[in-house]
Amino acid sequence: MDREPCFSVAQKPFGATYVWSSIINTLQTQVEVKRRRHHLKRHNDCFVGSEAVDVIFSHLMQNKYFGDVDIPRAKVVRVCQALMDYKVFEAVPTKVFGKDKKPTFEDSSCSLYRFTTIPNQDSQLGKENKLCSPSRYADALFKSSDMRSASLEDLWENLSLKPANSPHVNISATLSPHVINEVWQEETIGRLLQLIDLPLLDSLLKRQEMIPKVTQPKRQPDLVNNRNYLDRGILKAYSDSQEDEWLSSAIDCLEYLPDQMVVDISRNFPEQPDRIDLVKELLFDAISKYYSSREPLLNHLSDVHNGIAELLVNGKTEIALEATQLFLKLLDSQNREEFRRLLYFMAVAAHPSEFKLQQESDNRMVVKRIFSKAIVDNKNLSKGKTDLLVLFLMDHQKDVFKIPGTLHKIVSVKLMDIQKGRDPNRDTGYIYCQRIDRSDYSDRTRKTTKDELLNLLKNIDEDSKLSTKEKKKLLGQFYKCHPDVFIEYFGD
């Protein structure tokens, strides 16, 4: 056990135990565990599902347990489901529309989870609510009488992942969170620069300028505070009693509103609670009023806004989505969470079947018009491009907060190089150009030039808008300059 492990997952039971132990250890040490708020209720020591997937995805790619095979995100979700099934962590007991959530792992920033102790273990393994070591977790998974280890070992085969014959992993060579965060930031910026041409890099490279500080509303005296907490609790209870996604998403946004605004909402609450239309009107007016005067959430890196909008104009939706994911990855966690909640509310409220916001206008257009400046207020971006960008964010609100698989792979390779003491900059992961010899360059130049000339000649020949006289003149000029290409196209 003191030797550096060299194993195959197929070498049972040590290999499989080690892999699961490594995954659990990485999840415990790298996922962000903190006090979180969900539907106005606070939960201690939680992490979100999407971040757990990100951590395990990066770990599997970095350690190459399965060689250089690409691992889809959906398969990592199944790994997380297996960890939850075997009580490595559990879903935080939250309710949606007054009903308990099913114990299914969700790759979402709305789903909360909490590490747990190993079930059916004696008190010597640790007190309740304290984590056990990863090796004890893994041992318990394989030794438990009611949990068949074969199911865990066979999971890799079910996921169509074939273990590498002998992956070498050094347990002691761990990296600090600071180094990992720096690599993530550096590679995120590098990938973003590959997708978008930015004229100035100063604001992108200076982190203090890149991430705006969030100014929280000042708290009022204790009397107002007490009333505020009571009002928030009442609104939360009302939301739980209604099976309504619109109300749930709106109540989530109230956390970022000033206390006095929440108190005013409670005071003006309709006397008839069943008049849901009046409640929605009250909530929408309050949320739109706050965000109409708030500093835009994405009011930084204006050149990135322009780049993403230009991609959308040119129909490059997939590239625009990846660029947006990278852009939002650079936000601080608090701004990112507020923007996620607002965007979710906007997407729900914009649906045509939901509560009619204004009788004379479509819901989608109303939401876009009211909240555009709350998201981005870029003087260098035309109104048309601003509208296009905001509507794109609304339509893809479920995907824009995910981390691109390409970035995962690049970061994993670089972290592996650092971990093994190799130069992490020997391969940047991005190929902008490639050195070739002179003969190859000459061959490619001639071929490309010839192809373009043939294409030009074809356009002249097939252009029906040209008169016979104009076409004859152009063909004669072409023959005079490039007789070989002319003869190849028309023949002798």
Side-chain angles (χ1 to χ4, degrees):
M1 294 296 290
D2 293 334
R3 296 196 305 261
E4 178 181 313
C6 173
F7 66 92
S8 167
V9 177
Q11 295 172 358
K12 304 174 183 179
F14 172 73
T17 304
Y18 175 79
V19 172
W20 285 105
S21 176
S22 176
I23 292 174
I24 295 168
N25 177 68
T26 301
L27 186 62
Q28 287 182 349
T29 56
Q30 295 187 19
V31 76
E32 184 179 12
V33 177
K34 65 179 183 180
R35 192 180 189 191
R36 299 178 185 271
R37 202 167 192 172
H38 187 72
H39 295 313
L40 296 180
K41 183 177 180 181
R42 294 190 180 277
H43 302 277
N44 294 325
D45 303 326
C46 301
F47 60 90
V48 297
S50 59
E51 291 183 4
V53 176
D54 290 339
V55 168
I56 295 178
F57 193 179
S58 179
H59 177 70
L60 293 178
M61 296 296 293
Q62 177 184 349
N63 288 279
K64 297 184 180 298
Y65 293 125
F66 310 101
D68 294 326
V69 64
D70 288 332
I71 303 176
R73 191 177 180 90
K75 293 187 178 182
V76 182
V77 173
R78 290 180 62 183
V79 172
C80 291
Q81 180 66 56
L83 294 176
M84 190 170 76
D85 291 342
Y86 287 100
K87 309 301 181 184
V88 174
F89 59 82
E90 61 187 0
V92 173
T94 59
K95 291 187 176 182
V96 177
F97 310 140
K99 299 179 180 179
D100 288 325
K101 274 188 172 184
K102 294 181 180 179
T104 302
F105 182 84
E106 298 179 11
D107 180 13
S108 166
S109 55
C110 299
S111 54
L112 301 182
Y113 301 93
R114 181 184 292 125
F115 289 112
T116 181
T117 55
I118 303 176
N120 302 324
Q121 299 295 306
D122 57 40
S123 58
Q124 292 180 353
L125 290 180
K127 296 182 180 180
E128 190 67 24
N129 296 329
K130 290 197 175 181
L131 299 181
C132 295
S133 67
S135 59
R136 284 185 175 178
Y137 264 124
D139 289 342
L141 298 186
F142 285 93
K143 292 179 181 178
S144 176
S145 58
D146 59 338
M147 301 176 185
R148 297 179 59 86
S149 63
S151 63
L152 284 174
E153 295 166 352
D154 294 341
L155 176 63
W156 305 122
E157 183 176 348
N158 294 337
L159 293 177
S160 301
L161 296 175
K162 295 182 179 180
N165 290 329
S166 57
H168 293 268
V169 182
N170 188 355
I171 297 178
S172 61
T174 57
L175 301 176
S176 69
H178 174 74
V179 171
I180 294 174
N181 291 336
E182 287 295 320
V183 171
W184 272 104
Q185 181 181 340
E186 179 182 335
E187 297 305 319
T188 300
I189 293 174
R191 179 63 177 166
L192 189 58
L193 289 174
Q194 187 186 25
L195 299 179
I196 298 177
D197 184 20
L198 300 179
L200 297 175
L201 303 181
D202 290 348
S203 60
L204 185 61
L205 298 177
K206 293 180 180 178
R207 187 169 180 81
Q208 294 302 320
E209 296 180 13
M210 178 183 64
I211 300 178
K213 298 297 183 182
V214 179
T215 303
Q216 291 295 333
K218 293 182 178 180
R219 293 297 181 187
Q220 303 298 323
D222 289 344
L223 183 60
V224 176
N225 262 341
N226 292 337
R227 173 63 190 267
N228 160 61
Y229 293 141
L230 178 62
D231 290 333
R232 291 181 188 271
I234 293 173
L235 292 172
K236 164 65 171 59
Y238 175 78
S239 173
D240 285 347
S241 68
Q242 306 292 326
E243 295 186 8
D244 196 308
E245 187 180 13
W246 198 106
L247 289 175
S248 175
S249 61
I251 295 294
D252 271 354
C253 290
L254 295 187
E255 178 179 346
Y256 298 95
L257 270 61
D259 293 344
Q260 188 58 52
M261 291 190 72
V262 177
V263 172
D264 292 340
I265 292 173
S266 180
R267 287 175 176 173
N268 296 317
F269 208 78
E271 295 181 0
Q272 302 159 321
D274 57 333
R275 290 294 306 274
I276 297 180
D277 57 332
L278 297 179
V279 176
K280 290 184 177 181
E281 182 179 1
L282 177 65
L283 291 173
F284 186 82
D285 289 345
I287 295 172
S288 60
K289 180 181 179 181
Y290 170 69
Y291 281 102
S292 64
S293 59
R294 188 204 187 283
E295 180 183 354
L297 289 163
L298 305 183
N299 199 28
H300 64 295
L301 298 180
S302 58
D303 290 329
V304 177
H305 306 158
N306 295 333
I308 296 175
E310 195 63 34
L311 290 171
L312 293 174
V313 169
N314 294 325
K316 299 179 180 179
T317 307
E318 292 185 4
I319 300 177
L321 177 59
E322 183 179 355
T324 304
Q325 292 170 333
L326 296 168
F327 174 59
L328 296 180
K329 179 75 172 67
L330 297 174
L331 285 176
D332 67 284
S333 59
Q334 191 168 354
N335 244 15
R336 183 182 170 95
E337 176 61 18
E338 181 178 0
F339 180 55
R340 183 196 65 77
R341 294 192 188 193
L342 176 62
L343 198 60
Y344 177 45
F345 171 67
M346 290 170 59
V348 174
H351 199 278
S353 64
E354 287 290 350
F355 168 68
K356 190 72 174 175
L357 301 173
Q358 294 179 6
Q359 293 302 322
E360 69 279 4
S361 301
D362 176 68
N363 279 354
R364 182 178 169 84
M365 294 300 104
V366 174
V367 171
K368 183 259 299 177
R369 184 177 67 251
I370 291 178
F371 292 102
S372 284
K373 288 190 176 181
I375 296 176
V376 56
D377 187 14
N378 187 346
K379 295 180 180 179
N380 297 322
L381 200 63
S382 66
K383 184 180 184 302
K385 288 185 176 180
T386 300
D387 292 345
L388 184 63
L389 178 60
V390 172
L391 292 175
F392 171 77
L393 290 169
M394 287 170 50
D395 294 340
H396 295 81
Q397 58 91 16
K398 292 183 179 179
D399 298 317
V400 293
F401 294 98
K402 294 181 179 179
I403 299 177
T406 304
L407 180 63
H408 264 298
K409 188 171 184 178
I410 293 170
V411 170
S412 298
V413 170
K414 190 162 188 177
L415 290 175
M416 176 67 78
D417 287 340
I418 296 174
Q419 194 174 34
K420 291 187 175 181
R422 296 197 295 256
D423 179 12
N425 297 316
R426 64 188 177 90
D427 181 8
T428 61
Y430 312 105
I431 301 176
Y432 295 97
C433 59
Q434 182 178 3
R435 182 184 295 275
I436 58 176
D437 57 38
R438 288 182 178 275
S439 61
D440 192 12
Y441 171 76
S442 298
D443 292 341
R444 293 189 186 188
T445 302
R446 284 193 294 269
K447 183 180 184 305
T448 303
T449 302
K450 182 179 178 180
D451 290 343
E452 291 301 320
L453 287 172
L454 285 170
N455 187 49
L456 175 61
L457 187 57
K458 180 181 178 182
N459 290 336
I460 296 174
D461 183 40
E462 298 178 354
D463 191 347
S464 59
K465 295 181 181 180
L466 291 174
S467 65
T468 303
K469 184 177 180 179
E470 290 174 327
K471 185 177 293 188
K472 185 176 180 180
K473 180 181 178 181
L474 291 173
L475 290 175
Q477 291 175 343
F478 191 98
Y479 177 77
K480 184 177 180 180
C481 298
H482 307 285
D484 295 340
V485 178
F486 187 92
I487 294 174
E488 180 179 339
Y489 180 81
F490 286 105
D492 294 338

